[in-house]
Amino acid sequence: MALKSSVRLVSLISAMTCALLLAACGQNKVAEKPPEPGDTAVARVNGQVIWASDVKREAVAQGLISEGEPLDISSEVFRQRLDEVIDQKLLAAEATKRKLDKDPIAQRRLAAARERILGDMLVEGVVEKAVTEDAIRKLYAEQQKLSKRSEEIRARQIIVGSQAEAESVKKLLASGASFDALAMERSTDQATRFNGGDLGYFTLDVMPEPYGAALKDAQKGQLVGPFAAEGGWVIVKVEDKRTEDPITLEAARPQIVRFLTYDQVRDILEKLRGGAKVDILIGKPQDVPGAPAREPASAPPEPPAGAPAAPPASAPSAPAKK
């Protein structure tokens, strides 16, 4: 319960920064006009309208939904975030009333929040234009042309304790004994013995080296072994061989979107840094093995020996939300 309260307090502190930023820009009154097409007014706090999009943005900032994902205004998640947005507005209004927004430290934090928000908006705009369905499908098609599909094998195994016992089992199988029955009766592998030794489909690169060497040239229906492995002596029956199915577009989509996003962010930062004059005024960190971590310059001095430790902060600071 205490953890949830701390997380909520951190969220409120972060959002207060954004709310104070709006106040500092002279936008104390929220416009009655919906900020987004089809937006819905869901609350009013001292005359200021809270829109559904405000609540959704809070949910996105907390990682509860993805950007563009719908959020039902009748859901409990929406109502909880709405309560938080109301609290944020009340706290920010009180902070402004107490002129906390005029404090020099607050001004620097507001300026940093403004830069962060504007930078995020720039990146979002660039990514939105570049990461399109056509771009996703094009990169997926390119990946499919370059990808090499492996061969998959489906096999069953029986593992026993000695080579002599393995040879005995192999003779029984060759004479027509049931692989399933022998696996249950003789195999020491608890993970597979009760399902007939079935290993399912796999590629050789994910198997231990002895399996890869023994099954490299094995054909469908062939008995392979016995060969020594970590668990004992192994006999394998190859049930089937097939070409690995290609990854589907939907399965690959998240990875493709991340790649395209990273690519765009990297490009824009390279261009901006290439056209800017950036001077680093501190030296490179010295990586000395075993050296204690250095405290930041803003850290308070350590108390004298025997003095009581300073109380912990009520809550850690959090980055400003979009």
Side-chain angles (χ1 to χ4, degrees), residues 142-183:
E142 292 174 357
Q143 287 181 333
Q144 293 310 299
K145 289 179 181 178
L146 297 174
S147 66
K148 181 180 179 181
R149 289 192 282 167
S150 302
E151 185 177 58
E152 289 185 321
I153 297 174
R154 183 180 180 183
R156 297 179 184 272
Q157 70 173 3
I158 296 174
I159 302 179
V160 293
S162 67
Q163 184 176 8
E165 185 178 2
E167 294 287 0
S168 174
V169 170
K170 187 173 182 180
K171 288 180 180 179
L172 290 172
L173 291 170
S175 64
S178 167
F179 198 101
D180 288 29
L182 282 175

Side-chain angles (χ1 to χ4, degrees), residues 168-251:
S168 174
V169 170
K170 187 173 182 180
K171 288 180 180 179
L172 290 172
L173 291 170
S175 64
S178 167
F179 198 101
D180 288 29
L182 282 175
M184 183 174 294
E185 179 184 344
R186 299 285 192 91
S187 183
T188 60
D189 182 40
Q190 299 302 317
T192 61
R193 61 175 294 197
F194 294 110
N195 65 345
D198 193 1
L199 292 167
Y201 282 97
F202 56 86
T203 54
L204 293 181
D205 60 308
V206 302
M207 299 297 286
E209 192 277 333
Y211 286 80
L215 296 173
K216 182 179 179 181
D217 299 316
Q219 300 301 311
K220 181 178 177 180
Q222 182 178 346
L223 276 177
V224 178
F227 58 88
E230 184 177 348
W233 286 83
V234 186
I235 300 168
V236 175
K237 181 181 180 182
V238 179
E239 297 282 355
D240 190 23
K241 299 183 76 174
R242 69 184 186 186
T243 303
E244 184 180 26
D245 289 334
I247 186 172
T248 65
L249 172 60
E250 291 312 308

